[in-house]
Amino acid sequence: MAPLVWATLVLLSLTSITVSLAQPQSVPPGFGVVNPSSATKGSSTYTCQDSNGNFTTCVATCPSKCSRKCIVSCPDCRTLCFCDLFPGTVCGDPRFTGGDGNVFYFHGHKNENFCLLSDSDLHINAHFIGKRNPDLNRDFTWVQALGIIFGKNHRLYIGAEKTMTWNDEVDHLKITFDDKVVHIPAETNGRWMSDSTPALIITRTAPTNGIIVELYGMFTIMANAVPITKEDSKIHNYGVGPDDSLAHLDLSFKFHSLSDTVNGVLGQTYRADYVNKLDVSKKMPVMGGAPKFFSSGLFSIDCAVAQFGQKSDPKIEMVTGVQGV
């Protein structure tokens, strides 16, 4: 598999607005992640430093479909949505970019759980929420939460909490590790490290609604809690009412040590022998096979393609830092 290209979070000094960014050490130089404040409209002016140490003043606007957060390229100041750039993304009515770089949709069903990735030492399920669309005879669906299992059943939950009215200044993320609530300082670059598993670190990319989760040697996950806006609902006929903003997660994954037997909706696309049988020329190529990815619970490993625990892997002890964990 070709190496994944990740955006770095570069140093931005503001001249006209407030922009939030984070700087995880796992990403290469050349790009920046910008979170304009909720009061900001139109262009953002900032200074960025590229990989050669040169400074450039940029005036740019995040694309409308990712107006709350976007990626900026230095020094040419281009902006784009991170869901349009990387392999390993899951965004919107779930649109996936597989490990092979191809885009596809997987709709699943609302209020059910599906296996995104299953390997011998890592299992990731997703809980789908949605709205029924009678005209399409299917659900509009979004990923509301992740259930991540690693080691000897360490359990990490990342979810977007249900809310009627969305407010960018309120944190709608809920995170638990081994059933205990994770509290992260409400500031950009605020960081939490697990006492029992020091290789697990969670860093905020903004004071609210954006995090990067890193488990050394295994994965890096960027998660953003976002709503369905009135504009989104009108354009796509989602039928969102005043009782629920359908808060969900936009996600980007980078995996460091997957095996050749990895499976799942997203996981299978990282296999060396994976053959994409979807018609990529279509506007919306849809992956079927929902029954084989169905899981009975967010932390269940009973999907038909489950690989978790089928063989031991010595790197787990290195990741957890505790023998036998």
Side-chain angles (χ1 to χ4, degrees), residues 2-49:
L4 300 182
V5 178
W6 268 64
T8 193
L9 310 178
V10 296
L11 177 64
L12 305 182
S13 61
L14 303 182
T15 58
S16 63
I17 64 163
T18 299
V19 177
S20 302
L21 27 137
Q23 193 173 9
Q25 297 178 352
S26 60
V27 292
F31 293 88
V33 174
V34 190
N35 299 274
S37 68
S38 59
T40 300
K41 295 183 182 297
S43 298
S44 303
T45 303
Y46 57 87
T47 301
C48 72
Q49 183 179 9

Side-chain angles (χ1 to χ4, degrees), residues 14-287:
L14 303 182
T15 58
S16 63
I17 64 163
T18 299
V19 177
S20 302
L21 27 137
Q23 193 173 9
Q25 297 178 352
S26 60
V27 292
F31 293 88
V33 174
V34 190
N35 299 274
S37 68
S38 59
T40 300
K41 295 183 182 297
S43 298
S44 303
T45 303
Y46 57 87
T47 301
C48 72
Q49 183 179 9
D50 67 16
S51 58
N52 296 319
N54 300 316
F55 289 87
T56 302
T57 299
C58 295
V59 178
T61 302
C62 288
S64 59
K65 64 180 179 180
C66 56
S67 59
R68 290 176 171 83
K69 177 175 290 188
C70 67
I71 293 168
V72 183
S73 173
C74 289
D76 57 15
C77 301
R78 291 179 301 140
T79 59
L80 65 162
C81 300
F82 81 91
C83 291
D84 295 330
L85 180 63
F86 310 122
T89 58
V90 182
C91 300
D93 182 12
R95 183 187 67 193
F96 291 72
T97 304
D100 60 350
N102 286 310
V103 175
F104 64 92
Y105 287 78
F106 176 82
H107 299 301
H109 303 285
K110 67 178 182 178
N111 301 325
E112 293 185 354
N113 305 288
F114 294 90
C115 170
L116 296 190
L117 182 142
S118 190
D119 207 357
S120 61
D121 53 8
L122 176 64
H123 188 94
I124 303 176
N125 287 335
H127 180 72
F128 284 38
I129 58 172
K131 295 278 289 186
R132 189 67 177 176
N133 185 330
D135 294 334
L136 295 180
N137 195 32
R138 71 165 180 87
D139 297 331
F140 286 124
T141 52
W142 298 270
V143 172
Q144 179 268 330
L146 296 180
I148 303 171
I149 307 169
F150 64 91
K152 291 192 175 179
N153 290 318
H154 282 302
R155 308 200 319 172
L156 177 64
Y157 171 91
I158 305 168
E161 295 191 290
K162 183 176 180 178
T163 181
M164 293 177 59
T165 303
W166 183 268
N167 182 347
D168 281 330
E169 307 303 320
V170 176
D171 192 26
H172 301 281
L173 283 170
K174 181 179 180 180
I175 307 165
T176 67
F177 181 57
D178 290 344
D179 300 322
K180 295 181 180 179
V181 176
V182 171
H183 298 284
I184 311 171
E187 59 188 17
T188 300
N189 292 324
R191 177 172 290 196
W192 173 90
M193 177 184 293
S194 169
D195 292 332
S196 64
T197 310
L200 177 63
I201 298 173
I202 304 176
T203 306
R204 288 194 186 272
T205 60
T208 61
N209 301 312
I211 57 171
I212 290 179
V213 183
E214 298 177 273
L215 182 61
Y216 180 77
M218 296 194 72
F219 63 72
T220 306
I221 301 171
M222 182 183 291
N224 299 308
V226 295
I228 296 298
T229 65
K230 291 181 180 179
E231 292 78 11
D232 293 334
S233 183
K234 183 178 180 180
I235 292 171
H236 300 286
N237 195 27
Y238 288 145
V240 175
D243 59 331
D244 190 358
S245 64
L246 290 173
H248 60 280
L249 300 175
D250 279 348
L251 299 154
S252 183
F253 298 89
K254 182 178 181 181
F255 301 105
H256 306 298
S257 56
L258 297 177
S259 75
D260 290 335
T261 60
V262 64
N263 216 316
V265 177
L266 180 63
Q268 63 183 330
T269 66
Y270 288 87
R271 295 172 61 145
D273 61 354
Y274 174 70
V275 177
N276 184 2
K277 298 180 180 179
L278 302 175
D279 185 351
V280 295
S281 65
K282 290 186 176 180
K283 184 178 180 180
M284 291 182 61
V286 177
M287 179 179 291

